[in-house]
Amino acid sequence: MPASAPNQSSLSHFPALQVREATPSDQQRWETFVESCPEATFFHRFGWKKVIEEAFGHRIYLLLAECEGTIEGILPLGEIRSRFFGHSLISTPFCVYGGVAATTERARRLLTERACELANECGVQYLELRNREERNSDWQRKDLYVTFRKEIDPDPEKNLLAIPRKQRAMVRKGIAANLESVIDDDIERFFRAYSESVRNLGTPVFSKRYFRLLKETFGNDCELLTVVRDNELVASVMSFYFRDEVLPYYGGGKGIARDYKGNDFMYWEVMKRACQQGVRWFDYGRSKKGTGSYRFKTHWGFEPEPLHYEVKVLRGAEIPEVNPLNPKYAKFIAIWKRLPLSIANRIGPLIANDLG
């Protein structure tokens, strides 16, 4: 016999799921959920609201889906208003990962629906969810980025031997050059190395305030490893620690880093220290296909994994191409590389603040 339709009393056994914007009082519950939810990443953490709003002035919406006090899903969203790059809603801006992190499909569906509603309410041109897995197959996709992640061994020597021979030789040259790594408590040396490096690539640097906020907000989970030779600054990297993984996220070297293989040594030191602390995964982060960064990571024996940056276009015919590979930025990049570092560091944040 056909099953009868559920009556009102049976429906009452399934409490409604509600989606709302999180408040400061939800921070601890949000953080606990992020720590336990397999889909969540470091870039879903509550602290990004403070960092992005105070460093860049963009509004951050932290959406949560809960049922009777239990969180089933979260979605951080940042609204970017830019005269040059358009008006967008992104999860998560300035981060490589984002999108819905949920333990139930109903939470994922409702949070995605609410994100679409919010995008319309804000009047944005497009909504972008930076997923690691495909979630919305009918949306457009930014087929530009890949990520590199690899499980590492508890034994540093095994990790060194796992690096392909030619790249391992670069690491050994750094070791032979008497390079040393130290952990810094402040961002000063890191910013000097990083800002010079991104200027040389023709990229506007973020403000020093942004990096200071990252360190203040995430504390020991935001580590600054600096490479020196005879007390001279060579290179530095800011890494994020989350659960059982490390993500070297912002890094750069001075001019002498090339001579002493400072960047190779630097990333090896991050890996070595991390495995000694019991970290199981090394996340080399995203790179654009076909770039020097992409090739550098493959030389370490990492395999590229596609990123599913899904975009719902609301007011426009196509997804804006806001990336350095766009030919229309070539002249700007060439000019930027020749700027004095003091000028690049002063005006760079005015542009970088809107990149998202």
Side-chain angles (χ1 to χ4, degrees):
M1 296 180 62
S4 59
N7 57 37
Q8 190 63 37
S9 61
S10 65
L11 289 175
S12 66
H13 294 297
F14 298 91
L17 186 69
Q18 296 184 333
V19 175
R20 64 176 176 84
E21 190 172 352
T23 67
S25 64
D26 295 308
Q27 180 168 357
Q28 187 55 56
R29 295 172 59 232
W30 179 289
E31 288 286 276
T32 299
F33 179 84
V34 168
E35 186 66 28
S36 63
C37 178
E39 295 178 352
T41 70
F42 184 85
F43 307 103
H44 287 86
R45 292 190 60 180
F46 200 96
W48 284 99
K49 177 177 174 66
K50 170 185 172 65
V51 170
I52 294 174
E53 288 187 343
E54 293 189 13
F56 304 116
H58 302 306
R59 171 73 188 276
I60 298 295
Y61 302 87
L62 298 180
L63 304 182
L64 65 82
E66 64 179 349
C67 178
E68 297 187 328
T70 298
I71 297 177
E72 295 186 16
I74 59 170
L75 174 58
L77 290 159
E79 183 182 3
I80 309 296
R81 294 177 179 269
S82 171
R83 179 181 302 175
F84 303 106
F85 309 117
H87 187 190
S88 59
L89 195 63
I90 301 173
S91 179
T92 307
F94 306 100
C95 300
V96 296
Y97 308 136
V100 174
T103 55
T104 65
E105 284 305 312
R106 66 172 184 169
R108 187 187 318 284
R109 184 184 70 254
L110 287 179
L111 284 165
T112 303
E113 290 174 356
R114 178 60 190 133
C116 293
E117 292 172 354
L118 183 60
N120 276 303
E121 292 168 10
C122 293
V124 302
Q125 295 168 282
Y126 65 95
L127 165 66
E128 177 179 335
L129 302 184
R130 295 178 175 173
N131 302 314
R132 282 171 50 178
E133 304 290 338
E134 184 179 73
R135 298 300 182 191
N136 303 284
S137 58
D138 57 331
W139 289 24
Q140 295 186 54
R141 179 181 166 188
K142 281 187 176 180
D143 190 22
L144 176 66
Y145 295 106
V146 296
T147 191
F148 294 84
R149 300 178 73 249
K150 184 178 180 181
E151 191 168 9
I152 56 178
D153 195 271
D155 184 349
E157 187 61 25
K158 289 183 179 179
N159 289 321
L160 183 60
L161 293 175
I163 301 172
R165 181 179 56 82
K166 289 185 178 180
Q167 187 61 44
R168 186 167 66 247
M170 299 299 102
V171 174
R172 293 197 186 281
K173 285 182 180 179
I175 296 172
N178 295 318
L179 299 181
E180 297 179 85
S181 68
V182 295
I183 302 302
D184 283 341
D185 293 326
D186 61 59
I187 63 147
E188 294 304 319
R189 291 198 294 186
F190 160 78
F191 189 79
R192 283 165 51 200
Y194 177 72
S195 61
E196 180 175 323
S197 181
V198 296
R199 189 280 310 270
N200 293 344
L201 292 171
T203 304
V205 72
F206 294 120
S207 69
K208 186 181 287 189
R209 174 173 170 75
Y210 170 54
F211 297 109
R212 188 175 292 119
L213 279 165
L214 283 170
K215 181 60 180 171
E216 290 174 356
T217 301
F218 296 116
N220 292 335
D221 294 337
C222 177
E223 182 184 85
L224 295 160
L225 182 144
T226 295
V227 174
V228 297
R229 185 177 187 272
D230 296 331
N231 292 320
E232 182 180 8
L233 174 62
V234 176
S236 190
V237 59
M238 174 180 280
S239 300
F240 300 139
Y241 282 80
F242 178 69
R243 292 199 291 242
D244 60 348
E245 63 182 336
V246 61
L247 302 85
Y249 200 63
Y250 294 112
K254 303 282 287 183
I256 61 172
R258 183 182 296 272
D259 299 331
Y260 300 121
K261 310 306 176 188
N263 288 324
D264 306 275
F265 177 83
M266 176 177 71
Y267 289 114
W268 162 244
E269 285 292 292
V270 173
M271 183 181 291
K272 183 182 73 173
R273 288 171 179 263
C275 76
Q276 291 172 335
Q277 296 172 32
V279 172
R280 292 181 55 243
W281 288 89
F282 190 93
D283 188 327
Y284 238 144
R286 79 179 184 189
S287 292
K288 302 176 189 72
K289 296 177 181 178
T291 62
S293 171
Y294 178 101
R295 291 187 291 273
F296 179 78
K297 293 169 185 178
T298 59
H299 292 165
W300 279 71
F302 284 66
E303 293 293 332
E305 300 175 14
L307 285 174
H308 300 270
Y309 284 14
E310 296 169 344
V311 180
K312 190 175 186 65
V313 178
L314 302 174
R315 294 167 180 82
E318 57 186 23
I319 304 171
E321 289 191 55
V322 184
N323 73 80
L325 300 182
N326 190 331
K328 74 177 185 179
Y329 298 125
K331 183 177 291 187
F332 170 85
I333 291 172
I335 293 172
W336 199 269
K337 289 180 179 180
R338 297 195 295 270
L339 285 179
L341 188 58
S342 59
I343 295 176
N345 285 352
R346 187 162 64 248
I347 63 178
L350 301 177
I351 300 171
N353 282 9
D354 289 345
L355 291 175

